[in-house]
Amino acid sequence: MRLAMSMIELVISIVVMGIVVMSLPLILTQVQNNNAFALQQEAILAAKTKIGNILTHEWDETTYAASAGRSFVLDTAGDGELNRVGTSTQRVGHVDADYRRKLFPNTTNATNIATHGTSDIDMFHNQNVTLSVAPIGEGAGALSYIFNLRLDPSIVYVSDTATYSNDPLNFTFGVNAAGGTTNIKRIAVQVRDTDANALITTLRAFTCNIGESPSLPSRPYQ
């Protein structure tokens, strides 16, 4: 009887061990998927935060006028339908009234990305940032990054060409750099895993040359 019970226990043990061994690949795959998802989510959060930070700065170094305490629309080499009308401070679509968005009284051109200032979004172009895991005992906490990431931001002018006089208006957002200054800048942030030197994700945003209204001024840029 004892021998029979021992044999049954052995068979049951073998079956249980077989089930456990068969489950190991599934468990490892699930762990790998969870790690990949966590890495992707952290990369998206980092890129979104970086873009949000960039968008708090001026559209161009010549946009803001400290004397007026506001930002103005700039002259560009983009679509001619968006140029100022004659020698006025308006372009088509602007409201000819005080406290409205307008261009500078004199021609003031947008600058090339390479000639950025210290307060506009262009200054982030090709300024890579590395986010590293904080070592234990050096401020690591619940809000620390759990992966080593590198943020590669790029800012370029993109085409603003469209049939603005048509109804409906036909326009396609492009992501490739235009030949000169336009009324649209594209912000792209690539996030890479520095341990594997692999691209995780790319987030993009677009910002336009629209100045601001004195009634709704942004903070002064220093």
Side-chain angles (χ1 to χ4, degrees), residues 13-216:
S13 299
I14 293 174
V15 172
V16 171
M17 290 299 296
I19 294 174
V20 171
V21 172
M22 289 176 60
S23 301
L24 282 177
L26 297 177
I27 295 173
L28 294 176
T29 300
Q30 186 60 45
V31 171
Q32 184 179 16
N33 291 339
N34 290 342
N35 289 339
F37 180 76
L39 176 61
Q40 185 182 56
Q41 292 301 303
E42 188 164 84
I44 292 173
L45 175 61
K48 179 181 177 181
T49 302
K50 185 64 176 179
I51 289 177
N53 178 29
I54 294 173
L55 288 173
T56 63
H57 290 70
E58 280 288 358
W59 191 79
D60 193 80
E61 64 174 303
T62 57
T63 300
Y64 185 75
S67 58
R70 58 177 289 197
S71 299
F72 286 81
V73 180
L74 298 176
D75 297 280
T76 73
D79 192 300
E81 293 181 272
L82 301 177
N83 293 344
R84 70 169 69 223
V85 178
T87 58
S88 70
T89 57
Q90 283 86 34
R91 61 186 179 190
V92 175
H94 277 175
V95 178
D96 187 10
D98 293 333
Y99 305 107
R100 296 288 186 168
R101 301 174 190 270
K102 60 182 64 178
L103 290 87
F104 282 98
N106 300 316
T107 299
T108 305
N109 294 311
T111 60
N112 294 324
I113 301 297
T115 57
H116 60 77
T118 58
S119 61
D120 62 332
I121 65 175
D122 300 350
M123 71 178 185
F124 292 94
H125 181 60
N126 289 339
Q127 297 299 310
N128 301 336
V129 177
T130 299
L131 305 176
S132 302
V133 177
I136 297 176
E138 295 186 15
L143 300 180
S144 299
Y145 286 95
I146 59 176
F147 299 100
N148 293 313
L149 305 174
R150 191 184 77 219
L151 308 183
D152 300 336
S154 66
I155 292 89
V156 298
Y157 287 102
V158 295
S159 175
D160 60 359
T161 301
T163 52
Y164 293 100
S165 58
N166 287 4
D167 185 14
L169 183 149
N170 297 317
F171 180 77
T172 302
F173 267 115
V175 297
N176 297 322
T181 62
T182 69
N183 291 280
I184 304 175
K185 289 181 179 179
R186 185 222 68 202
I187 302 170
V189 176
Q190 290 187 340
V191 186
R192 293 184 174 275
D193 178 0
T194 57
D195 294 327
N197 192 28
L199 177 64
I200 303 172
T201 188
T202 301
L203 263 62
R204 297 185 179 93
F206 297 88
T207 178
C208 299
N209 174 33
I210 59 174
E212 64 182 357
S213 168
S215 302
L216 298 170

